[in-house]
Amino acid sequence: MEKLLESEGKVLRHDRTVRIIHWLIALSCFVLVFSGFGQMPVYKRYMITDLPGLTWTADYFITLKMHYVAAVILVFASFWHVVYHGIRRDNGLVPRKGDFGESVRIMKAIITGGQEPPSDKYLAEQRLAYVFMAGTIAVLILTGIIKTVKSMGFVLPEGLVFWSTQLHNLGAALIVFGIVAHLGAFIVPANLKLLGSMFHGKVDLEYVKHRHSIWYEKLKRRSR
Amino acid sequence: MDKISRRSFFRRTVAAGAAGAVIMAKGAASANGAAGQPMATVIDLTRCDGCANQNTPLCVAACQSKNRSRFPEPVKPIMDYWPRKGFEDWSDKKGLRDRLTPYNWLYVQKVTVDGKTVYAPRRCMHCDEPTCAYLCPFGVIAKNGDGSVVIDPDGCFGGAKCRDVCPWGVPMRQAGVGLYLKLAPKLGGGGVMYKCDMCHDLVKQGKNPACVTACPQGAMTFGDRSAMKQLAEARSKEIGGYVYGASENGGTSTFYVSPVSFAAIDRALKEQKVVDGKPGRSGMPLKVENKVDQLDGWATGVLLAPVAAVFAAGRAAYKSLASEKNAGDDSDKGGES
Ligand code: HEM
Ligand code: SF4
Ligand code: SF4
């Protein structure tokens, strides 16, 4: 659970459970992207198979197995995330009214070096990015499950298979975009301060006071 | 074996439901194929003589004339499959009748086994669990209720994955046609894949496939899948022979019956270079496992993961809430994650 660690000059931002789930999702998505693209006949065509150690990428059944194994992890972690935070009523990442305008103001401040509006635990753009990622993963899981059922030998309506496949491919493209944007966010120095929190859980107290002042007030009230 | 019957049970249950719906929607349907019941072909190698006194076996000729209007007409010049050099083009070899090509969806193999000449008409087997259709990355290969496996030429990109995952390398690629030309023909896509479609249109009308009708020896019999399977087994017993296609790749809709073993035929096909290692000619390998089938365990894992996650997460959430309460945190609740 998040809390102020004033003696250390830190704030615990992500507890261990949250960190584990984050990395399970990230890692499985990485494997899913790689093995998913293996399901498209691209590695042979574009000579990835000629690279040392990557000959196996031509074997659809190897990449399909990887895809299934990673899918088990992603599906587990995603359902876990929704159910766990749903029961706890954790809503920090749920977008709020005015998030669009606020994220524009934050971006402007970052570019011009001006004053950012005060933020809660998450910035407005993080809440919007979360909806994008969660929505895309939901589409991938749903269409992926339909594809899985099809490949288990159930005869599904042709249209359902066709559209699931198309949406699955679209979802794959969107998640790649999402991952690139997610990593790209750390080019901004202010955001870099958050990076460590996904490893050891903590961020600097000073940083929180300054940038996430709404959250800081909440934490202070709670620790009293 | 167990596994196959479980899977075909699913399939039949769903197919039977679908067939019922079709009959209700269309009123009376004449033959079973028209009603979307699984159909199959028995190919009796004791009867086929390769149409020895014809230039082209009549089944092959019938397949040609039935499907000629659907053969590809590539736009030239055709581009290389960047970054590779070259492309698959059969358009100046339209006359080939001794292998599968985009312009020839059925051919007859001739091979000598123990002094006996065997002729085997070869085409798509119309698998019960078509690896080609399961793994098409664009979802444009349909497995129909009548058992036919059909590639949609308008949606195919020609990546040839279906050929690579088919145990017999059946679908054949023609470059310079299809959807990829409209997108980035230099960078992606390779044409359209072609193969036998079991004359799905004729079967829908309650008719037999063109090759079956054309055979003067009655070497091919088309009908209800279960009846055809029985027929193949009965005929095989009668001649003390062998059946091929009933269990290969998890079962197919094509049952070959032969007086000599398929192991011997497969060996002879390779020794006599009928199978030359190039696309469009394949042997009759035994014990063809369905490689998608083998991943069913992991697929089941995918379907069970949500259930496991709901229980585990529910428990963890209540525990964490309880421990927060115990810690005397009675101000506003958890807040955010
Ligand atoms: C980050 C998440 C994911 C990405 C980027 C991704 C990407 C892809 C891509 C590009 C393909 C190849 C195109 C195709 O065959 O349609 C594919 C295939 C497939 N995906 Fe995913 N995928 C993801 C998640 C999932 C999940 C969660 C599941 C299962 C619940 C799943 C199941 C499948 C299956 C079964 C296939 C292909 C083989 C088949 O059609 O049976 N995928 N994926
Ligand atoms: S069933 Fe039809 S498409 Fe298939 S080989 Fe026979 S004639 Fe050709
Ligand atoms: S024989 Fe090959 S092309 Fe035909 S249905 Fe089976 S896997 Fe597909």
Side-chain angles (χ1 to χ4, degrees):
Chain A
M1 203 45 235
E2 57 190 37
K3 58 171 172 282
L4 290 173
L5 306 167
E6 299 206 65
S7 54
E8 279 182 61
K10 299 268 182 199
V11 178
L12 180 65
R13 185 170 168 89
H14 302 299
D15 62 24
R16 204 174 49 163
T17 323
V18 169
R19 297 193 314 260
I20 292 174
I21 293 293
H22 171 268
W23 287 115
L24 286 180
I25 290 179
L27 236 64
S28 60
C29 275
F30 179 78
V31 176
L32 282 160
V33 167
F34 186 81
S35 59
F37 278 93
Q39 291 306 302
M40 312 291 281
V42 295
Y43 292 151
K44 201 151 128 200
R45 161 84 179 251
Y46 302 109
M47 304 186 182
I48 305 296
T49 50
D50 293 352
L51 300 176
L54 288 180
T55 321
W56 59 271
T57 56
D59 187 328
Y60 296 112
F61 296 107
I62 294 178
T63 51
L64 184 58
K65 184 167 181 176
M66 283 171 70
H67 207 67
Y68 276 133
V69 175
V72 171
I73 296 170
L74 177 67
V75 172
F76 181 89
S78 301
F79 273 83
W80 207 100
H81 168 85
V82 170
V83 172
Y84 181 81
H85 295 297
I87 291 176
R88 292 179 42 87
R89 305 245 184 287
D90 296 328
N91 58 4
L93 277 166
V94 176
R96 304 169 189 173
K97 242 173 95 180
D99 271 359
F100 267 109
E102 189 173 323
S103 52
V104 171
R105 266 179 282 138
I106 296 175
M107 305 258 206
K108 244 195 215 147
I110 288 171
I111 294 166
T112 62
Q115 179 74 35
E116 279 183 27
S119 284
D120 200 337
K121 179 170 181 181
Y122 295 102
L123 308 173
E125 46 255 67
Q126 285 182 300
R127 293 192 290 266
L128 296 179
Y130 172 77
V131 173
F132 176 82
M133 292 298 245
T136 307
I137 290 178
V139 167
L140 282 163
I141 289 181
L142 194 74
T143 54
I145 285 179
I146 294 170
K147 282 158 77 67
T148 304
V149 168
K150 169 211 65 177
S151 289
M152 289 177 80
F154 291 92
V155 177
L156 300 176
E158 205 182 323
L160 182 66
V161 172
F162 177 78
W163 285 111
S164 307
T165 309
Q166 302 299 324
L167 281 176
H168 199 75
N169 295 353
L170 176 69
L174 291 180
I175 203 83
V176 170
F177 169 80
I179 293 169
V180 170
H182 182 55
L183 298 179
F186 295 109
I187 295 172
V188 176
N191 296 345
L192 206 53
K193 300 254 191 215
L194 292 169
L195 195 57
S197 71
M198 241 346 135
F199 296 96
H200 43 65
K202 298 169 192 168
V203 280
D204 289 340
L205 182 59
E206 280 315 303
Y207 166 79
V208 171
K209 278 185 185 165
H210 163 79
R211 201 180 193 202
H212 299 268
S213 45
I214 300 178
W215 186 41
Y216 177 67
E217 291 305 321
K218 281 190 189 169
L219 289 170
K220 227 167 41 183
R221 236 184 300 136
R222 211 181 308 151
S223 62
R224 234 176 256 138
Chain B
M1 208 54 219
D2 228 340
K3 193 161 198 186
I4 290 162
S5 51
R6 174 176 62 79
R7 289 174 66 114
S8 46
F9 172 74
F10 291 153
R11 206 169 16 255
R12 261 174 232 152
T13 323
V14 181
V22 170
I23 293 171
M24 296 231 283
K26 287 194 189 158
S30 48
N32 279 340
Q37 294 279 19
M39 307 297 279
T41 316
V42 174
I43 303 182
D44 186 342
L45 301 187
T46 63
R47 297 220 167 97
C48 178
D49 65 354
C51 290
N53 44 14
Q54 305 279 344
N55 277 335
T56 306
L58 294 182
C59 56
V60 178
C63 179
Q64 284 284 320
S65 53
K66 154 103 199 325
N67 294 308
R68 187 160 291 129
S69 63
R70 299 158 68 202
F71 290 161
E73 286 168 23
V75 183
K76 302 210 172 165
I78 299 174
M79 275 173 252
D80 282 346
Y81 295 152
W82 182 90
R84 297 189 174 273
K85 290 265 167 283
F87 45 81
E88 284 171 30
D89 178 22
W90 299 88
S91 60
D92 50 4
K93 293 174 222 139
K94 289 184 187 159
L96 283 185
R97 295 290 174 266
D98 60 356
R99 65 187 329 121
L100 298 178
T101 79
Y103 301 89
N104 197 52
W105 304 347
L106 164 69
Y107 82 107
V108 179
Q109 289 178 327
K110 179 185 176 186
V111 69
T112 313
V113 185
D114 302 335
K116 257 190 242 169
T117 307
V118 176
Y119 297 91
R122 301 296 303 275
R123 52 153 173 76
C124 170
M125 304 285 284
H126 299 284
C127 301
D128 294 351
E129 295 164 40
T131 27
C132 60
Y134 286 169
L135 299 181
C136 170
F138 297 98
V140 295
I141 306 185
K143 171 73 178 170
N144 297 305
D146 63 8
S148 61
V149 175
V150 180
I151 302 176
D152 174 7
D154 298 326
C156 175
F157 248 73
K161 181 182 181 187
C162 53
R163 179 184 66 205
D164 295 346
V165 298
C166 169
W168 299 278
V170 165
M172 293 295 291
R173 172 158 69 178
Q174 174 60 47
V177 279
L179 196 55
Y180 88 111
L181 293 179
K182 298 206 174 77
L183 289 147
K186 236 200 176 93
L187 303 181
V192 172
M193 309 303 296
Y194 293 90
K195 69 170 192 70
C196 162
D197 67 352
M198 203 174 157
C199 291
H200 179 53
D201 54 342
L202 295 182
V203 173
K204 235 186 327 205
Q205 300 164 27
K207 296 183 186 150
N208 282 343
C211 49
V212 175
T213 309
C215 182
Q217 304 292 334
M220 296 190 203
T221 315
F222 188 76
D224 214 76
R225 190 183 185 282
S226 49
M228 289 304 104
K229 197 167 175 201
Q230 276 171 12
L231 177 67
E233 277 155 10
R235 177 70 183 147
S236 154
K237 207 175 219 167
E238 191 184 323
I239 62 172
Y242 305 82
V243 176
Y244 187 79
S247 63
E248 280 69 20
N249 204 27
T252 78
S253 310
T254 308
F255 308 123
Y256 288 92
V257 180
S258 160
V260 289
S261 82
F262 287 96
I265 294 181
D266 186 49
R267 213 177 313 120
L269 283 169
K270 282 167 191 147
E271 277 165 14
Q272 292 161 39
K273 301 272 185 295
V274 179
V275 176
D276 55 5
K278 297 199 190 98
R281 286 184 176 189
S282 109
M284 294 187 132
L286 297 184
K287 298 204 180 69
V288 181
E289 302 271 2
N290 190 299
K291 290 195 177 171
V292 177
D293 215 2
Q294 289 173 338
L295 294 175
D296 268 11
W298 285 106
T300 310
V302 171
L303 302 186
L304 292 180
V307 184
V310 167
F311 281 106
R315 226 178 89 95
Y318 283 112
K319 259 173 106 175
S320 82
L321 287 176
S323 78
E324 274 161 36
K325 267 228 170 65
N326 289 344
D329 180 8
D330 53 2
S331 60
D332 62 0
K333 44 180 179 356
E336 34 236 285
S337 68

